[in-house]
Amino acid sequence: MSTLRDLAEEHTALRPADIDHLHRIAGDWQLLSDLSFADLLLWVPVDGDGTFLCVAQVRPTTAPTAYLDDQVGRIVGGAEVAHLEVAYRQGRIWREGDPVWYGDVPARHEAIPVRLRTGDGEAGEVIAVVGRDTNLSTARTPSQLELNYLTTADDLAQMIADGTFPPPRHPGETTSAPRVGDGLVRLDANGKVTYASPNAQSAYRRLGYASHLVGEDLAKLHRRLAGDPLEGTDAGNAVLAALRGEAPPRREIDARGATMLTRALPLMPAGVPIGALVLVRDITEVRRRDRALITKDATIREIHHRVKNNLQTVAALLRLQARRVSMPEARVALEESVRRVASIALVHETLSMSSDEAVEFDGIVDRVASAATEVAATEVSVGMRRRGTFGVLPAEIATSLVMVLNELLLNAVEHGFPPADEETVAPSPADAPRPEVVVSAHRARKQLHVTVTDNGRGLPEQFDAERGGNLGLQIVRALVTGELRGTIELRNGADGGTEAAIVVPLARGTTDRLTGRAGPL
């Protein structure tokens, strides 16, 4: 299904700013649809020939839909769009006409012109039309709630025609909550409550206000509920801002162990401030779960911190033991164990500073590679470079992969570049490439592809890639094929040197934030 932007760019001459405004309407018009008990269809003119294209549609959650089929992408003209043409050409809301039938469903047509205000705040030209189509098959005498919904919907429809709705979205906010059904409060120009839906009344009772809301000054009530009658609260100030014609960000009120989310919207049909609309939602359980998750995350980070400390203690004890061992082979084995434990500690150190069980792996690779060049038992100066990026990896992959890379990098540095006294040929010319190890990484088809390449002497003859190698390579094969459920291939590079190619499957849902940067290690 094509998006609103795709359809508008393909079939119309609308400017990017016009399309952005239509996106804002489509992002916030569930509110108008629910208040209207009607489907909303966003129509844009095509080529100025009297035809219109539907680029977006929303169905009400408070009433049955007028359309069983999706209308997005439909191009219509002639008598079927006469009401849209009037709204578009004359710039006024069209409400005349008899009901029309869609199969067995009678519907009432309305058309609301969409304007984008100019930079100086003046009402601009009409750029589109919102069709408001109501299913009349369940028509009945409206209740007080429905009458207030419809009155508020008419005010918002006029604001769309004026170009003052929807208001600008604040950074980080979504449009999903609160909704009309969560709780609705309507205020007059003085900030007094003229209507409160039953769900809104229940939400305020949860905060400790047992009286009826009608007639209350809502801003003062918010201050009393929050226990700050002198200086006011964010929620109270948000109500006052909406009465001034502003669109404040959503605010929360905490009282008596309950939490309520509020959203205040100004009502300014035809530019005249007549009050405000306040949507409320009881989010007590949501915040309780949030606090539980925060506590759990803090506990997990503390566990990783303690594991890191314990691993560093183990590494220190092994290092101390290595200094006391007289046998060279035993000392080397203990020093290798120290490096392996330290590499795992790096992962837990990163997890102890993270808010979830995932790590930005590039920094860990850089530190492991730097340590490999410092502690490797070789006289040759080897450069390290990373190409591509690993991105964010879950802890279960990162812990094993860091050990794999630690072993491969140490092997490349220690065995790929022999000291000068082992050379059997003439010394390398001055312009020979500098000894280097490159770690490459990229993702494809839910797999992580990692390659460790050096420009050294390559694998020895008769080397058995499946069974040969030292303990480090045996650990690598065990981790890759076992813990990581991947594959590894050791081979000579096309231009000399050795290449270790690893493919690791990434579980569904693995974070895939890639920076695309490459740089020195």
Side-chain angles (χ1 to χ4, degrees), residues 18-37:
D18 299 333
I19 299 176
D20 288 341
H21 184 62
L22 298 183
H23 264 293
R24 286 194 295 274
I25 290 177
D28 221 355
W29 67 350
Q30 185 70 60
L31 168 64
L32 179 58
S33 177
D34 290 343
L35 289 171
S36 302
F37 305 99

Side-chain angles (χ1 to χ4, degrees), residues 368-454:
V368 168
S370 177
T373 59
E374 293 174 1
V375 304
T378 179
E379 301 174 1
V380 180
S381 176
V382 180
M384 290 282 182
R385 184 161 57 92
R386 173 169 50 84
R387 183 182 300 141
T389 180
F390 289 81
V392 177
L393 295 177
E396 61 268 20
I397 292 179
T399 303
S400 299
L401 187 58
V402 71
M403 284 194 65
V404 169
L405 292 177
N406 179 60
E407 298 295 337
L408 291 176
L409 290 171
L410 282 172
N411 268 289
V413 173
E414 293 182 347
H415 304 295
F417 306 97
D421 57 1
E422 292 186 19
E423 295 285 355
T424 58
V425 296
S428 301
D431 59 351
R434 176 194 175 195
E436 184 180 56
V437 178
V438 179
V439 182
S440 304
H442 72 277
R443 299 190 184 199
R445 298 180 179 180
K446 296 183 180 180
Q447 292 179 328
L448 176 64
H449 295 257
V450 182
T451 306
V452 179
T453 308
D454 65 62

Side-chain angles (χ1 to χ4, degrees), residues 397 445-449 480 484-487 503-508 510:
I397 292 179
R445 298 180 179 180
K446 296 183 180 180
Q447 292 179 328
L448 176 64
H449 295 257
V480 171
L484 298 175
R485 303 184 306 280
T487 61
V503 179
V504 177
L506 296 174
R508 180 177 298 178
T510 298

